[in-house]
Amino acid sequence: MNAPARVGLVGCGVISHAYAKNAAAFDSFEIVACADRDEERSSALAAEHGLDAVEVEALLSDAQVDVVLNLTPPAAHAAVTHAALEAGKHVYSEKPLAMTAPEAAELLALADARGVRVACAPDVFLGGTLQEARALIDRGDVGRPLAVSATMLAGGQEAWHPDPDIFFRDGAGPLLDMGPYYLSALVALLGPVARVAGLASTIVMERTIEIGPRRGELFRAETPTHTTAVLELAGGATATLLASFEAPHHYSSTFLVLGSEGTLALPDPNMFDEPLRARLGRGGWQDVPHRSRGSREVRGLGLDDLVDAIATGREPRASGRLALHVIDIARSVLVAAESGRTVELGTTVARPDALPVAAGAAVPRAT
């Protein structure tokens, strides 16, 4: 592998600009090329960030590309990752890793056979705030973890995204698009999920694109847009997650961890470097200081960890196995909602190793 690792980006949509911009904060990798079926998109991204715009097939076959960064729409994730793995490339994928748990498991088996690594977004749980929350839990500051209550309430992407229909197809929706932020953080903090129950519905079936070249175009929701999940963790705690795209002109997030000796109010797991609060014993709510990596508290942190994992021969923290378990959780909730019964998960995963911010690496942030 080159040093820094050479990354080829596939899928030049909205999120690609964030990854391309954030790459400057990391010494471990550089994004050198980009590709998209829409040549206008790849050319625009390349011009803005100084990349080579190439065909997808050329990127995958380039011997100088070490890692493929898969930022395609969800329905294309598995196919692009499969092609990259067949070409002997390591892969970092946007979530979800695949549309279903069996598809994701096949990708991991292929990666093992090819001797390459797979990692997957989200990586926000690696940020300083959630890593500090993990330290508090592991240290026993909140006592025995008992329950988690999480909510994600948002309006539809039709108000701000030029291609919002991709968020309302199978493999997306609030549970598979936004749910992975909460589910990955939950597993990283408290361990794997053992069984689930759920409810799911769609309230607004037809939506109108409000911006971009497709403005005024109608599309229909093809997957539930309002979901409630009840999760039983292998460690005995329970969790609830309400995820909805049925809150017009609104966005809010809550993430509470209730312990026998205190409660943590975690930040939005879709955002880096936000405040963490705690209520311990009989005291009141207090802000919890945490260290920040500064410009490295961004999307790209998981890719940085993948490159280090490749170099040191370990499992990446935002691993494909974690992503598989998250897909299994979300899909099992939808099965439970449709069948009206609880569903035992077919996968499990170990908590990823902690990634604390090194002492002295940044000035402690008092939130």
Side-chain angles (χ1 to χ4, degrees), residues 36-356:
D36 195 289
R37 297 300 183 193
D38 184 335
E39 292 185 5
E40 289 187 6
R41 287 185 174 181
S42 57
S43 296
L45 185 71
E48 182 175 350
H49 297 284
L51 311 176
D52 292 330
V54 299
E55 297 289 334
V56 173
E57 291 76 10
L59 187 151
L60 295 178
S61 64
D62 187 345
Q64 290 301 306
V65 170
D66 302 302
V67 180
V68 170
L69 175 58
N70 184 357
L71 305 181
T72 57
H77 284 177
V80 171
T81 293
H82 187 278
L85 296 175
E86 287 282 19
K89 310 298 186 186
H90 306 282
V91 175
Y92 187 91
S93 176
E94 257 300 332
K95 42 74 188 166
L97 181 60
M99 297 286 278
T100 67
E103 285 181 327
E106 289 178 7
L107 293 176
L108 298 183
L110 177 59
D112 289 342
R114 293 290 185 270
V116 291
R117 304 279 182 180
V118 175
C120 186
D123 57 3
V124 185
F125 71 89
L126 298 176
T129 308
L130 288 175
Q131 288 296 308
E132 180 63 27
R134 171 175 174 149
L136 292 174
I137 293 169
D138 289 353
R139 200 165 58 222
D141 288 17
V142 297
R144 177 188 173 189
L146 302 175
V148 172
S149 174
T151 62
M152 190 293 300
L153 303 175
Q157 286 84 344
E158 66 270 21
W160 59 269
H161 198 286
D163 297 304
D165 45 335
I166 64 175
F167 297 97
F168 292 84
R169 296 173 183 162
D170 184 46
L175 194 56
L176 278 156
D177 178 55
M178 294 298 291
Y181 295 104
Y182 296 80
L183 298 174
S184 296
L186 175 68
V187 175
L189 292 171
L190 298 176
V193 172
R195 64 172 179 159
V196 303
L199 296 172
S201 60
T202 301
I203 299 170
V204 179
M205 293 293 300
E206 190 171 76
R207 296 170 182 256
T208 305
I209 300 175
E210 299 179 18
I211 67 165
R214 299 173 61 197
R215 182 176 180 178
E217 183 178 325
L218 300 178
F219 67 92
R220 290 181 64 82
E222 300 172 6
T223 194
T225 57
H226 185 85
T227 58
T228 303
V230 180
L231 317 172
E232 182 181 74
L233 279 67
T238 58
T240 58
L241 171 62
L242 170 61
S244 179
F245 287 163
E246 298 287 2
H249 315 297
H250 178 80
Y251 180 85
S252 65
S253 169
T254 63
F255 197 157
L256 298 174
V257 177
L258 172 66
S260 58
E261 304 297 332
T263 303
L264 294 179
L266 279 65
D268 184 341
N270 184 28
M271 302 292 179
F272 282 94
D273 214 17
E274 289 203 331
L276 170 67
R277 303 182 71 218
R279 185 174 184 177
L280 305 178
R282 298 190 179 187
W285 285 103
Q286 295 183 342
D287 292 335
V288 178
H290 68 277
R291 291 185 176 273
S292 170
R293 300 178 184 87
S295 63
R296 296 175 67 242
E297 294 276 305
V298 291
R299 282 166 174 79
L301 183 57
L303 178 54
D304 176 66
D305 182 70
L306 169 62
V307 172
D308 181 74
I310 296 166
T312 58
R314 62 169 175 82
E315 181 87 342
R317 291 174 172 87
S319 70
R321 287 171 177 78
L322 174 60
L324 165 61
H325 188 57
V326 166
I327 294 169
D328 193 16
I329 297 169
R331 283 294 188 182
S332 296
V333 169
L334 294 177
V335 169
E338 186 174 0
S339 65
R341 58 183 177 84
T342 60
V343 175
E344 303 279 343
L345 263 69
T347 65
T348 189
V349 69
R351 282 204 309 168
D353 291 340
L355 186 63

Side-chain angles (χ1 to χ4, degrees), residues 1-7 27-32 64 66-67 307:
M1 186 172 66
N2 293 287
R6 293 171 62 85
V7 176
D27 297 328
S28 64
F29 68 87
E30 57 179 344
I31 300 176
V32 296
Q64 290 301 306
D66 302 302
V67 180
V307 172

